[in-house]
Amino acid sequence: RYNSIKSTITHELGHHRHYEVIKESTYFNSNKLRSVSEYGKTNSKEYFAEWFAHYRLNGEKDVPADILQLFKSIENGK
């Protein structure tokens, strides 16, 4: 149960980072075939948030390069 709550909170933090930090207009390729989850295939916002949660909880392994670069820019405050 804890992991589920942690994952949900991290996913929602991903939405915040997307809207407030890197801005929604920043381009990344939301290729449904590269989605980390079925929910991430819904749209580009969920794609971003699902990958963000994966990245924060599991590290950068398998994260697509374009979106990984965005996550690292968030960490660096850019």
Side-chain angles (χ1 to χ4, degrees):
R1 176 139 170 91
Y2 171 74
N3 286 339
S4 176
I5 292 169
K6 186 175 181 180
S7 178
T8 299
I9 290 170
T10 306
H11 171 98
E12 295 306 325
L13 177 61
H15 284 303
H16 171 72
R17 297 295 196 191
H18 187 197
Y19 301 140
E20 299 295 326
V21 178
I22 65 161
K23 308 299 180 212
E24 194 173 353
S25 62
T26 301
Y27 177 77
F28 58 91
N29 184 4
S30 59
N31 182 338
K32 289 182 180 183
L33 297 176
R34 297 187 314 173
S35 182
V36 72
S37 71
E38 285 299 312
Y39 189 54
K41 294 178 181 180
T42 306
N43 59 53
S44 63
K45 294 172 183 151
E46 300 307 339
Y47 177 91
F48 182 94
E50 286 290 279
W51 270 117
F52 183 83
H54 172 85
Y55 170 70
R56 294 294 299 265
L57 298 173
N58 301 304
E60 61 185 65
K61 185 178 184 305
D62 298 325
V63 178
D66 58 339
I67 206 161
L68 179 60
Q69 182 179 359
L70 293 176
F71 297 158
K72 289 186 176 206
S73 74
I74 290 169
E75 289 177 346
N76 294 327
K78 296 178 182 173

